[in-house]
Amino acid sequence: MIEPLLYHSTRGAHPAVRIDEAIAAGLAPDGGLYVPEALPQLDPSAFDPHGHLADTATTLLTPFFAGSPLAAALPAICAEAFDFDAPLRALPQRPGAAVLELFHGPSAAFKDFGARFLAACFRRLQGTQPLTILVATSGDTGAAVAAAFHRQPGVSVVILYPDGRVSPRQAHQLGCFGDNVQALRVDGSFDDCQRMVKAALNDAQLQAQLPLSSANSISLGRLLPQMSYYAHAALKLWRQHHVAPHFIIPTGNLGNALACLWVREMGLPIGRIQFACNANITLPDFFAGADYTPREAVATLANAMDVGAPSNFERLHWTLPHEDELRAALQAHSVDDATIRSTIVQHARDQHELFCPHTATAMHLLDREPLDGAPWVVVATAHPAKFETVLEPLIGYAPAVPPSLLAMLERAAFAEPLMADEGALRDWLLGAGEFLGVRRRGVG
Ligand SMILES: N[C@@H](CCOP(=O)(O)O)C(=O)O
């Protein structure tokens, strides 16, 4: 029998569990985030050089699923989740550099990979009880999770987003699904939404009536698959150039950037990692030497990164517990709105390249790096068409809209208002029995 890899909470106060149990729970019962006992180590030679993204994902994630009931299904789960491409597009004006485009999935953001992986896991894990997936979003996660779980039997999705603080098209996406998906527009920030979701997940009384889980990157079922495109891109470039590529990653709640660090910690060829942040400076301040101090998020053009208390900081700290070591291993820089605008304008005018405001933060950091031919990868997290109200006034035309986004925009959209209060979410959940399917088990 294969020894299962076990997972424990970053806060340490809960017994270790298998990966399927960690995914089912979403958040550890003590409020911490699940982490493996140790990160598995892998050699580049373990990967098929001719394999597709789904093959890389299967090889990379196999040790994480060792000994779990999901292990045998992992190749099929990866095939379902990674069924669209993550192209590496060379930047002609910048020798050695490429953009890793992660926005070719149904909701046009990188979150589609992780959300589809999580939904594929739950299709195999789910018992007879109805399950409610809670998701806090600053713009992109919500639609990806809605698309991945839409009409999945026995599952309801409740999305919380900060009212007025996501792009108009993101707001439309969040409200357009209907059926088993309900959007709640919260009178507060993303951090309020995330706090409310975490409180509900840790409310034992509520959970006894209404089984809940998470689809944010606090869940390992969302976080682990996000490692796959880093491994795939890094291995491809390393095989071509025999140099470990550097990555610049737009960063908000830290799940995507942490995934890249974990790939490097597993022994795969990744060079420097830079976090590109907006005017929310919790991480840049920490990496500049200040104490880690979560703060109120400020609204920016790169709204999906408007996070004042990045949830995955707990996992970052677990990965490299000594602050000096952590600061030496990574860099984080803040990019303000004026620079986001000028970066979008300059690349559209000079290179005919369109970037979303989040990707523009990373492009700006690349533009600051010396032109020395080093292998840089800029991570493009969302399609520019999701942010036409930012782009159009800057470039003078509306970016072309991909068909899956267009289909969402053609549907009617609706979101219910909710106060930014843990009790308000609890009351809403307990009052939504029919929508959440709880009447089927006699509760509510
Ligand atoms: N940037 C996110 C915020 C939530 O991040 P997650 O990766 O933890 O789901 C968003 O667009 O919603």
Side-chain angles (χ1 to χ4, degrees):
M1 210 178 87
I2 299 174
E3 274 296 296
L5 179 64
L6 292 179
Y7 295 80
H8 60 82
S9 166
T10 44
R11 298 187 191 171
H14 193 258
V17 297
R18 288 188 318 255
I19 185 67
D20 49 294
E21 296 165 317
I23 290 175
L27 190 66
D30 61 2
L33 275 56
Y34 279 116
V35 286
E37 284 170 313
L39 282 172
Q41 297 296 298
L42 278 179
D43 191 85
S45 62
F47 294 84
D48 176 0
H50 307 293
H52 293 286
L53 178 56
D55 304 313
T56 302
T58 304
T59 305
L60 182 77
L61 300 179
T62 291
F64 289 95
F65 283 74
S68 121
L70 288 171
L74 188 62
I77 292 171
C78 290
E80 286 167 38
F82 295 95
D83 66 344
F84 57 93
D85 215 8
L88 255 179
R89 195 170 50 73
L91 283 169
Q93 75 279 10
R94 175 90 200 197
V99 176
L100 178 60
E101 292 185 348
L102 299 180
F103 52 68
H104 295 287
S107 75
F110 78 90
K111 316 276 184 174
D112 284 316
F113 290 110
R116 289 163 69 79
F117 185 94
L118 186 70
C121 288
F122 273 117
R123 279 197 283 280
R124 284 147 177 104
L125 283 177
Q126 220 186 315
T128 48
Q129 287 189 346
L131 174 72
T132 300
I133 301 279
L134 296 179
V135 53
T137 186
S138 51
D140 286 329
T141 299
V145 171
F149 284 92
H150 189 211
R151 296 186 179 147
Q152 187 156 313
V155 180
S156 305
V157 174
V158 179
I159 302 169
L160 284 78
Y161 72 90
D163 198 6
R165 293 173 77 162
V166 303
S167 84
R169 282 187 175 162
Q170 285 175 321
H172 194 102
Q173 282 184 299
L174 297 171
C176 80
F177 282 87
D179 302 313
N180 62 332
V181 180
Q182 172 69 54
L184 301 175
R185 47 188 178 87
V186 174
D187 182 17
S189 65
F190 165 78
D191 296 295
D192 292 323
C193 299
Q194 183 79 102
R195 179 180 42 77
M196 291 158 74
V197 164
K198 285 179 177 172
L201 292 168
N202 281 141
D203 183 334
Q205 260 188 339
L206 180 61
Q207 284 265 20
Q209 297 181 64
L210 191 68
L212 300 170
S213 190
S214 161
N216 282 108
S217 62
I218 56 175
S219 165
L220 283 173
R222 257 287 313 287
L223 180 77
L224 295 178
Q226 293 180 172
M227 299 165 66
S228 309
Y229 38 77
Y230 292 111
H232 196 67
L235 287 165
K236 183 174 174 182
L237 292 168
W238 177 76
R239 284 184 199 113
Q240 280 169 3
H241 306 293
H242 311 288
V243 184
H246 313 310
F247 284 79
I248 309 180
I249 307 168
T251 300
N253 211 22
L254 242 180
N256 202 24
L258 180 79
C260 186
L261 174 67
W262 278 13
V263 172
R264 189 173 76 181
E265 292 293 311
M266 287 178 73
L268 296 188
I270 289 181
R272 287 166 60 194
I273 300 174
Q274 285 192 22
F275 301 163
C277 301
N278 57 21
N280 288 284
I281 54 171
T282 303
L283 292 171
D285 262 14
F286 170 79
F287 281 96
D291 287 341
Y292 176 70
T293 316
R295 60 201 80 191
E296 278 292 302
V298 296
T300 74
L301 296 175
N303 61 272
M305 288 149 49
D306 292 348
V307 180
S311 293
N312 280 287
F313 191 82
E314 285 192 50
R315 284 191 177 120
L316 192 63
H317 203 263
W318 168 84
T319 310
L320 296 168
H322 302 293
E323 292 190 351
D324 290 351
E325 195 188 2
L326 189 50
R327 290 193 179 102
L330 300 158
Q331 292 166 291
H333 301 288
S334 164
V335 180
D336 63 19
D337 275 358
T339 310
I340 291 175
R341 282 196 188 91
S342 60
T343 305
I344 291 172
V345 169
Q346 184 220 314
H347 283 270
R349 186 191 57 215
D350 300 346
Q351 280 98 34
H352 307 290
E353 302 267 10
L354 283 193
F355 297 116
C356 83
H358 313 80
T359 309
T361 63
M363 278 309 301
H364 170 69
L365 296 191
L366 176 69
D367 292 342
R368 293 188 340 181
E369 288 295 324
L371 271 172
D372 57 4
W376 282 100
V377 178
V378 165
V379 177
T381 48
H383 195 287
K386 294 182 87 166
F387 307 94
E388 90 293 0
T389 52
V390 176
L391 265 72
E392 200 174 337
L394 296 175
I395 59 174
Y397 61 92
V401 183
S404 62
L405 174 56
L406 197 58
M408 291 179 195
L409 298 177
E410 279 165 357
R411 284 148 57 174
F414 173 74
E416 256 185 62
L418 190 75
M419 270 163 51
D421 176 66
E422 295 159 17
L425 177 60
R426 189 175 201 279
D427 291 347
W428 189 92
L429 289 168
L430 288 173
E434 195 157 10
F435 167 72
L436 300 174
V438 288
R439 294 242 163 89
R440 276 180 269 152
R441 55 190 289 261
V443 178

